[in-house]
Amino acid sequence: MTRASALTLALALAGCATVPARTGPSGLSPPGPGSQASEDGAPAPVEAGTSPGGEAEVAGGAAEAAPAPTPTPRDRPGTDRTELGARLAARAATLVGRRGPFLVAGERFNDDCSGLVAAVFAAEGIDLRAEMQHAAPREPGSARGTWLAARERGETFGAEATPEPGDLVFWNDTYDRNRNGKVDDPLTHVGIVERVDGETVTFVHRGGRGVARGVMTLARRHAAADEDGRKLNSTVRTRAHPARRGGLAAELFAGFARLDLEPSRAAAELHARVTQAPARRGRTVAAARR
């Protein structure tokens, strides 16, 4: 696989429902200076690589993106969570402005918010999609499945703590998942924290126009911008939602999550769980890894 790669997705603005993919391949560069397109801005040029079948490829996958370190027990010092988080955030940032189907090391991911997150983790050697399948076998490819995986394999927290780059951020009621016309759909959208500046969190998510950069300021829950016009909260609710009011990131905030997974150890532990699980469950989990 080439070092240059591509990721594009299709999703209604901030919802995790899959919609038909838009045309046109797009690229993903290795971690480094990312696209500077804003939430509503035009995508910046980025080197692209496309497979013979027309699908964009995300650089590297587990082996190429980050050589797997020697497995380290959780209670042994030496695991640099900050470094891994920074790499996850940097990979997500390179995708801003992209849209369309994507591959990581030959594996295709869903065209939605949880697919974006799983692809970024996969590029660092972490099989989050399989963790989602294990934690939420009935809805593995969803924001809720991602939340349950994070709760099982890490920690979830709210506004009482400050997130770090590479952490996940979740929202409720970004689209009418159960189609009942009410605001009663928890955990409908997920993104990746890119950075934190004071009280404002900058995140990367799959928006309606492609992978986008947004902001959230929990201290100014109902404010889209401050008195000087600086953006405080991006809109993360779809325009088609029946709710007439609300929709800012801080208004729909559900929580943050941090996964405690090492690239090499995650694969080994997952394999052990699959081989020890009942046959039917094992086939289901194994299928998610193919």
Side-chain angles (χ1 to χ4, degrees), residues 55 67 126 167 173 198:
E55 297 168 314
I126 297 175
D167 286 348
D173 296 302

Side-chain angles (χ1 to χ4, degrees), residues 14 114 124 132 175 229:
S114 60
E124 282 296 331
M132 293 161 59
Y175 74 102

Side-chain angles (χ1 to χ4, degrees), residues 21 46 68 79 82 98 100 110 137 154 167 176 179 185 193 204 219 225 256:
V46 59
T79 299
T82 301
R98 305 294 151 247
N110 291 341
D167 286 348
D176 189 12
R179 301 180 182 180
D185 298 291
V193 173
V204 176
F256 297 110

Side-chain angles (χ1 to χ4, degrees), residues 119-265:
V120 169
F121 274 73
E124 282 296 331
I126 297 175
D127 196 347
L128 180 56
R129 182 163 61 178
E131 295 291 344
M132 293 161 59
Q133 174 70 41
H134 181 267
R138 294 186 178 182
E139 49 180 330
S142 68
R144 183 173 181 274
T146 311
W147 172 270
L148 293 175
R151 190 174 65 180
E152 180 177 301
R153 301 287 288 165
E155 61 178 318
T156 56
F157 55 99
E160 73 279 358
T162 302
E164 297 177 357
D167 286 348
L168 303 182
V169 54
F170 296 81
W171 296 273
N172 300 319
D173 296 302
T174 55
Y175 74 102
D176 189 12
R177 181 169 55 197
N178 58 17
R179 301 180 182 180
N180 66 353
K182 300 179 181 180
V183 181
D184 59 357
D185 298 291
L187 298 171
T188 55
H189 193 52
V190 59
I192 298 176
V193 173
E194 181 183 6
R195 65 179 185 272
V196 180
D197 304 300
E199 296 179 319
T200 300
V201 174
T202 298
F203 58 88
V204 176
H205 70 134
R206 180 55 171 94
R209 299 182 182 183
V211 180
R213 180 177 284 114
V215 294
M216 179 177 71
T217 308
L218 294 174
R220 300 288 300 275
R221 186 169 177 238
H222 301 292
D226 64 14
E227 294 74 14
D228 297 324
R230 182 177 67 91
K231 196 165 189 178
L232 297 176
N233 285 290
S234 300
T235 299
V236 293
R237 175 176 282 161
T238 62
R239 295 179 180 178
H241 197 283
R244 297 293 183 181
R245 298 180 181 180
L248 297 178
E251 294 176 317
L252 305 184
F253 172 69
F256 297 110
R258 183 173 303 151
L259 285 112
D260 182 21
L261 293 169
E262 293 296 329
S264 60
R265 190 189 69 223

Side-chain angles (χ1 to χ4, degrees), residues 98-113:
R98 305 294 151 247
R99 57 177 68 183
F102 61 99
L103 297 170
V104 178
E107 290 193 67
R108 181 170 178 151
F109 289 76
N110 291 341
D111 297 341
D112 56 21
C113 62

